Amino acid sequence: MRLSLAITLGLLLTTSSFGATILQDNFEHGTFGIWVKDTENNGTISISTDTASSGQYSIKFNTTAADGSLTIGRYETGSSNYPILYIRLKIYFTSTYLGNMTNEECSIINSFDEDYLQNLLSARVEDVGGSKTFVVYYNDYGASLSGALPSSDTWHTYEIYLYRHATEGNISFWIDGVLVDSDTGVDTGDNNPANFYFGIDSIGGDDIQGTVYMDDIVLDNSRYIGTGWRVQEGLAVGSPYHY
């Protein structure tokens, strides 16, 4: 995956003495804002009022054929300076989408280094024999964490923590504020994250049709964000957390 054009306007990376929020977006502006459609194959990406975790809007990914690839992306010019990353977002998997996933998998989140030399983390939903798991691969797919995927047709909060280090790295993930899995003192890659992608991207041409919504995306390089973070429209990035 590559960004198809340069990002110019939108929320810029800013830090404060309180915290270092890289970006926050709840789509209440009703537009794609800071994001670029990276891929839109065999389906559509839209800002929707069907459902939202907060406010009225969320981003909707709707696949309509096999090999659906629907992703938005953003390059953060300053984030490659930081080895610590927290990614938190709300995801709503419809039962139709998950019901069409049988012994198949889709990519949900990907973070690459500045020059795309490594995929530092890749979060996926995988189905094996009807059992669905949320899997976080790290260090260019060299290792992974996993846990059971929660219920469909409702919003759940997913958060991933990455401390990027070649020998003493840490990685963890939470679902709805509960720690699911973690690795400590491991190789989590050679370069810091700078490119971020969200969406649904079927792996190997899998035919997984249906809809997934995302909302309340927050990236931070200072501390755990948690389920209570409330994105406030018009609030400067880098401002203190609001709950």
Side-chain angles (χ1 to χ4, degrees), residues 114-170:
E114 188 163 14
D115 297 320
Y116 291 94
L117 299 176
Q118 285 188 317
N119 190 343
L120 296 165
L121 67 86
S122 178
R124 300 183 176 189
V125 175
E126 300 182 355
D127 179 278
V128 178
S131 178
K132 292 176 174 59
T133 56
F134 188 81
V135 184
V136 180
Y137 292 94
Y138 63 92
N139 191 19
D140 220 17
Y141 305 102
S144 65
L145 309 175
S146 64
L149 190 73
S151 58
S152 60
D153 295 329
T154 192
W155 289 98
H156 293 282
T157 304
Y158 298 79
E159 182 159 350
I160 302 170
Y161 159 65
L162 172 71
Y163 168 53
R164 203 284 311 156
H165 194 281
T167 58
E168 299 297 328
N170 299 325

Side-chain angles (χ1 to χ4, degrees), residues 1 5 10 43 52 62 70-71 85 91 100 117 124 145 148 156 163 178 186 192 206-207 217:
M1 292 182 289
L5 54 92
N62 184 52
L70 308 173
T71 60
L85 173 68
I91 308 177
N100 286 331
L117 299 176
R124 300 183 176 189
L145 309 175
H156 293 282
Y163 168 53
V178 177
V186 294
N192 294 332
D206 287 348
D207 188 2
I217 298 174

Side-chain angles (χ1 to χ4, degrees), residues 1-228:
M1 292 182 289
R2 296 292 188 273
L3 288 179
S4 56
L5 54 92
I7 314 265
T8 53
L9 299 177
L11 299 178
L12 302 179
L13 183 144
T14 313
T15 61
S16 74
S17 59
F18 189 90
T21 307
I22 299 172
L23 69 83
Q24 54 179 339
D25 196 358
N26 60 2
F27 304 100
E28 288 306 296
H29 39 71
T31 69
F32 286 98
I34 62 176
W35 304 98
V36 166
K37 290 184 182 180
D38 181 57
T39 59
E40 193 172 18
N41 302 322
N42 296 328
T44 58
I45 309 172
S46 61
I47 305 301
S48 174
T49 57
D50 291 350
T51 182
S53 174
S54 63
Q56 296 181 331
Y57 296 93
S58 64
I59 188 163
K60 177 180 180 179
F61 304 90
N62 184 52
T63 58
T64 56
D67 199 19
S69 180
L70 308 173
T71 60
I72 56 172
R74 178 167 175 82
Y75 167 64
E76 283 295 340
T77 55
S79 65
S80 60
N81 296 322
Y82 303 99
I84 293 174
L85 173 68
Y86 289 87
I87 301 176
R88 195 225 65 177
L89 73 161
K90 307 292 185 70
I91 308 177
Y92 184 114
F93 291 102
T94 63
S95 54
T96 299
Y97 183 80
L98 294 181
N100 286 331
M101 181 186 294
T102 304
N103 295 319
E104 296 169 313
E105 58 184 308
C106 70
S107 174
I108 300 296
I109 306 167
N110 287 279
S111 178
F112 296 85
D113 62 4
E114 188 163 14
D115 297 320
Y116 291 94
L117 299 176
Q118 285 188 317
N119 190 343
L120 296 165
L121 67 86
S122 178
R124 300 183 176 189
V125 175
E126 300 182 355
D127 179 278
V128 178
S131 178
K132 292 176 174 59
T133 56
F134 188 81
V135 184
V136 180
Y137 292 94
Y138 63 92
N139 191 19
D140 220 17
Y141 305 102
S144 65
L145 309 175
S146 64
L149 190 73
S151 58
S152 60
D153 295 329
T154 192
W155 289 98
H156 293 282
T157 304
Y158 298 79
E159 182 159 350
I160 302 170
Y161 159 65
L162 172 71
Y163 168 53
R164 203 284 311 156
H165 194 281
T167 58
E168 299 297 328
N170 299 325
I171 185 166
S172 306
F173 82 92
W174 296 258
I175 298 178
D176 294 332
V178 177
L179 179 65
V180 177
D181 200 0
S182 63
D183 278 342
T184 60
V186 294
D187 182 357
T188 52
D190 300 321
N191 303 303
N192 294 332
N195 295 284
F196 303 94
Y197 298 88
F198 299 86
I200 50 177
D201 190 1
S202 64
I203 306 301
D206 287 348
D207 188 2
I208 313 169
Q209 297 184 37
T211 303
V212 174
Y213 300 89
M214 295 184 183
D215 203 355
D216 294 338
I217 298 174
V218 182
L219 305 185
D220 193 277
N221 58 31
S222 62
R223 68 178 190 178
Y224 176 72
I225 301 163
T227 60

